């Protein structure tokens, strides 16, 4: 085992260390956290031969650039931000070997919203509540609870790696979906039939006023005058109806209770797909 | 509709796909649901991923791989709560708070609202929303103010806000839909601990008015809620 480091040259918009998130702590209002697209996260870890729950770098809406101060394997899954290694284009969904001094960068075109960079070996970083999932508002999780910044060094314990002649890769492209399956939630019946029609017949998009706590949508206004008396439990994937008639999808770092009607929810797979939408990218809800 | 009886409390069970269950009881209250929720959580059953308790519901998030086994819940008995603590929380009125919304929905101006608010005897109901955020209840009904039409993008740490029947304290800067009335200089998070806050369901809370100089003195000391009350 040897320890190498990677140095963040440009951090992108919001790059952070994430893992599977925290189980069993929602009772204490501690958000689950963790990778927004668990499928891409698991694939990236699988390609480098790690346990699929190992910590990775998650990039949101924009890639990052970093320098390898030692050789190691890595793989990128999720969004193709126009990734390059030493200025040469590299594919997503493939195991790649980086020599010492290599520079990973990107042109910042974006096919999807989230990319996951897994390094072969163990990424060493800080943990809170038994998870690397970074929660910057609290300073919890990886990288001392902060999003990645220029100059940050990440340590990776890896086996000394030799370049292989062929590389395992996934022979498919993950295509963004234009439809998301909607499941009726506990307060589904606050909508009348006309509003239910609008929900399934008009396009929606995530607005730029969104973050890892929640995605604010713009779409048809589902005007209503329902007020819940009490705050009720919510999970990542729950869809809340605001008094303004707009919707919020609760995400990984989101609250555990809220006072808005829960008209629907997305199951985990649908949430993975939803989390790959870029702001303003149009999609539809379909009734399952 | 399935029914389940847990420590003499009857719950209606609703199942939502393979994702979650909602156990509904609209009479026992948030403190009672929190105690039962905690007993469910402590059983560490493989089919249960998360438990969230609230006023009328206990939500159980389901594991993707394990079968639901409600019989495993039937033996649950609630441990009596530990002795409830009394907390005093210093409050500086925020003149830039959501007073116009509060006035339009309750009819109280800022001074009248604060006067009435300080008479309230509040009880911690449940954890929720954010780590360390306490849901407090006990406001006079005339002081209930609905949540905002559109939540604010950022409410600063320490803000004390009202939403419906509740009073809450924001532990960190966060988006929020409640009406801000003031701010406390104390840290209300107990980081790296479970639970991550100091106040527990059943605890009694009183707010105490402070002025700007007092606020800054306390803020500079960097005190936690626990330091201020018990040391």
């Amino acid at each position: 085992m040897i320890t190498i480091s990677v140095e963040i040259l440009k951090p992108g918009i919001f790059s952070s260390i994430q893992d599977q998130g925290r189980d069993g702590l929602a009772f204490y209002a501690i958000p689950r956290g963790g990778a927004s697209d668990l499928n891409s996260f698991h694939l990236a870890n699988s390609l480098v031969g790690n346990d699929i729950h190992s910590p990775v770098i998650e990039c949101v809406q924009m890639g990052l650039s970093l320098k390898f101060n030692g050789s190691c394997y890595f793989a990128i899954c999720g969004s193709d931000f126009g990734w390059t290694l030493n200025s040469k284009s590299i594919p997503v969904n493939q195991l790649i070997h980086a020599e010492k001094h290599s520079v990973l960068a990107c042109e910042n075109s974006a096919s999807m919203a989230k990319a996951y960079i897994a390094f072969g070996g163990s990424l060493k970083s800080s943990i809170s509540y038994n998870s690397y999932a970074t929660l910057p508002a609290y300073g919890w999780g990886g990288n001392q609870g902060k999003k990645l910044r220029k100059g940050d060094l990440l340590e990776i314990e890896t086996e000394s790696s030799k370049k292989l002649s062929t590389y395992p890769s996934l022979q498919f492209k993950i295509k963004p979906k234009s439809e998301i399956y909607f499941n009726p939630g506990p307060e589904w019946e606050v909508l009348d039939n006309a509003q239910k029609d609008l929900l399934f017949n008009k396009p929606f998009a995530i607005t730029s006023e969104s973050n890892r706590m929640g995605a604010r949508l713009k779409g048809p206004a589902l005007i209503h005058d329902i007020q819940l008396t009490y705050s009720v439990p919510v999970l990542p994937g729950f869809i809340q109806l605001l008094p303004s008639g707009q919707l919020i999808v609760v995400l990984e770092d989101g609250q555990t209770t809220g006072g808005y009607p829960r008209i629907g929810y997305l199951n985990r797979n649908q949430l993975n797909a939803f989390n790959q939408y870029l702001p303003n990218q149009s999609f539809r809800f379909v009734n399952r | 509709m399935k029914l389940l009886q847990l420590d003499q409390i009857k719950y209606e069970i609703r199942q939502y796909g393979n994702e979650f269950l909602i156990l509904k009881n609209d009479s026992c209250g948030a403190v009672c649901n929190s105690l039962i929720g905690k007993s469910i959580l402590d059983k560490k059953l493989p089919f249960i991923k998360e438990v969230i308790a609230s006023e009328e519901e206990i939500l159980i998030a389901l594991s993707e791989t394990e079968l639901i086994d409600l019989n495993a819940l039937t033996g649950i008995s609630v441990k009596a709560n530990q002795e409830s603590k009394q907390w005093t929380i210093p409050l500086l009125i925020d003149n830039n708070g959501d007073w116009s919304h509060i006035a339009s929905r309750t009819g109280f101006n800022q001074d009248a609202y604060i006067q009435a608010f300080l008479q309230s005897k509040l009880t911690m109901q449940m954890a929720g929303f954010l780590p360390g955020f306490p849901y407090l209840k006990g406001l006079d009904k005339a002081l209930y103010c609905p949540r905002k039409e559109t939540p604010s993008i950022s409410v600063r740490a320490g803000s004390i806000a009202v939403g419906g029947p509740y009073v809450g304290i924001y532990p960190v800067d966060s988006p929020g839909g409640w009406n801000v009335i003031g701010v406390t200089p104390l840290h209300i998070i107990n980081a790296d601990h479970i639970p991550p806050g100091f106040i527990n369901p059943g605890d009694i809370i009183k707010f105490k008015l402070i002025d700007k100089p007092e606020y800054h003195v306390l803020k500079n000391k960097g005190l936690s809620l626990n330091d201020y009350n018990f040391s």
Side-chain angles (χ1 to χ4, degrees):
Chain A
M1 282 297 198
I2 53 164
T3 300
I4 67 142
S5 69
V6 296
E7 182 186 345
I8 305 299
L9 303 178
K10 288 184 193 161
I13 297 176
F14 193 99
S15 302
S16 62
I17 297 179
Q18 297 295 342
D19 63 9
Q20 187 78 15
R22 305 170 172 87
D23 267 341
L25 294 174
F27 185 79
Y28 305 105
I30 296 173
R32 161 165 197 85
S36 305
D37 172 5
L38 288 175
N39 289 340
S40 298
F41 160 73
H42 290 151
L43 285 175
N45 269 322
S46 307
L47 279 168
V48 297
N50 288 352
D51 180 285
I52 60 166
H53 304 129
S54 306
V56 301
I57 296 177
E58 179 184 89
C59 300
V60 178
Q61 287 173 37
M62 196 193 239
L64 52 59
S65 74
L66 58 79
K67 190 175 164 193
F68 289 89
N69 298 325
S71 73
C72 88
Y73 286 103
F74 71 99
I76 306 174
C77 293
S79 180
D80 188 345
F81 287 119
W83 296 101
T84 61
L85 187 65
N86 298 326
S87 308
K88 273 201 222 145
S89 187
I90 53 165
V92 293
N93 301 332
Q94 182 168 317
L95 180 69
I96 293 171
H97 183 262
E99 300 287 353
K100 190 174 178 180
H101 304 313
S102 303
V103 172
L104 172 70
C106 58
E107 293 158 358
N108 279 319
S109 52
S111 61
M112 295 188 281
K114 312 273 162 49
Y116 296 87
I117 309 172
F119 303 97
S122 345
L123 180 58
K124 297 285 170 201
S125 203
S126 45
I127 60 171
S128 301
Y129 293 104
N130 208 25
S131 166
Y132 294 91
T134 307
L135 205 58
Y138 286 81
W140 290 350
N143 199 39
Q144 275 69 52
K146 296 188 174 74
K147 67 178 190 174
L148 296 178
R149 292 158 305 173
K150 182 179 156 64
D152 283 347
L153 284 175
L154 304 177
E155 290 199 332
I156 298 153
E157 206 176 84
T158 183
E159 284 172 47
S160 62
S161 54
K162 264 204 321 237
K163 212 170 165 168
L164 300 174
S165 49
T166 57
Y167 295 97
S169 70
L170 295 169
Q171 297 300 317
F172 63 86
K173 273 219 150 174
I174 300 167
K175 287 196 197 117
K177 298 163 47 119
S178 59
E179 291 182 338
I180 291 289
Y181 289 121
F182 177 101
N183 298 292
E187 282 79 51
W188 169 240
E189 292 304 335
V190 306
L191 298 180
D192 63 26
N193 286 339
Q195 291 170 327
K196 289 174 185 171
D197 282 349
L198 283 176
L199 179 74
F200 294 123
N201 291 310
K202 295 284 179 192
F204 286 85
I206 298 175
T207 68
S208 53
E209 285 177 351
S210 300
N211 54 30
R212 283 183 44 90
M213 278 188 80
R216 291 185 185 221
L217 305 187
K218 69 171 178 248
L222 308 174
I223 302 297
H224 66 104
D225 56 3
I226 308 291
Q227 288 274 348
L228 297 185
T229 312
Y230 299 116
S231 288
V232 290
V234 294
L235 293 169
F238 272 41
I239 301 169
Q240 297 176 310
L241 175 62
L242 299 183
S244 65
Q246 295 296 329
L247 304 179
I248 288 187
V249 182
V250 178
L251 300 180
E252 283 61 34
D253 293 355
Q255 69 273 26
T256 57
T257 55
Y260 299 119
R262 305 157 294 181
I263 61 161
Y265 67 94
L266 309 180
N267 72 22
R268 186 63 240 183
N269 254 326
Q270 297 300 310
L271 185 56
N272 291 334
F274 174 85
N275 276 330
Q276 286 292 8
Y277 286 138
L278 290 161
N280 302 316
Q281 185 179 343
S282 173
F283 69 91
R284 280 171 195 274
F285 285 118
V286 290
N287 200 351
R288 193 150 218 185
Chain B
M1 199 75 70
K2 266 194 229 169
L3 282 172
L4 183 69
Q5 186 163 329
L6 301 176
D7 199 18
Q8 297 168 39
I9 314 282
K10 285 199 180 81
Y11 289 93
E12 268 177 29
I13 301 180
R14 293 169 197 178
Q15 184 170 350
Y16 293 83
N18 299 319
E19 310 296 317
F20 60 97
L21 304 176
I22 286 181
L23 280 51
K24 201 155 175 70
N25 173 298
D26 51 18
S27 60
C28 94
V31 177
C32 157
N33 281 333
S34 292
L35 288 171
I36 294 203
K38 178 73 165 61
S39 305
I40 295 174
L41 188 70
D42 286 346
K43 282 213 140 192
K44 296 186 192 303
L45 298 169
F47 78 94
I48 294 179
K49 238 166 59 170
E50 304 287 354
V51 177
I52 305 174
S54 66
E55 197 74 37
E56 299 183 334
E57 291 181 8
I58 299 172
L59 180 145
I60 293 178
L62 299 170
S63 145
E64 289 91 347
T65 50
E66 305 291 326
L67 289 175
I68 300 173
D69 176 17
L70 290 178
N71 290 332
L73 294 177
T74 45
I76 270 179
S77 67
V78 170
K79 292 165 214 117
N81 205 5
Q82 74 262 44
E83 216 175 297
S84 76
K85 285 185 178 169
Q86 300 215 14
W87 302 90
T88 301
I89 302 180
L91 156 73
L92 172 69
I93 294 168
D94 184 348
N95 291 318
N96 298 318
D98 296 302
W99 295 110
S100 59
H101 190 238
I102 290 172
S104 72
R105 303 306 288 261
T106 66
F108 284 101
N109 68 20
Q110 180 176 331
D111 287 345
Y113 193 91
I114 286 289
Q115 280 311 314
F117 177 85
L118 290 172
Q119 306 303 316
S120 315
K121 188 183 167 199
L122 301 168
T123 309
M124 158 73 160
Q125 299 294 305
M126 62 196 203
F129 184 43
L130 299 169
F133 183 98
Y135 277 88
L136 312 176
K137 234 170 68 178
L139 284 181
D140 190 281
K141 261 205 167 131
L143 300 179
Y144 289 10
C145 180
R147 298 163 188 88
K148 294 185 222 172
E149 297 281 299
T150 304
S152 306
I153 298 290
S154 184
V155 177
R156 71 173 153 157
S159 290
I160 291 155
V162 292
Y166 300 113
V167 180
I169 310 169
Y170 286 77
V172 291
D173 295 350
S174 151
W178 293 16
N179 307 281
V180 173
I181 62 166
V183 61
T184 183
L186 304 180
H187 294 291
I188 65 156
I189 304 177
N190 193 12
D192 298 323
H193 290 77
I194 294 177
F198 298 103
I199 312 174
N200 287 304
D203 288 0
I204 309 288
I205 287 87
K206 279 193 117 172
F207 285 99
K208 177 187 153 197
L209 225 45
I210 53 168
D211 58 18
K212 253 197 177 141
E214 288 173 282
Y215 175 89
H216 288 296
V217 168
L218 288 170
K219 184 92 184 162
N220 290 337
K221 284 187 184 165
L223 294 182
S224 74
L225 185 59
N226 199 56
D227 297 336
Y228 181 82
N229 279 275
F230 297 108
S231 66

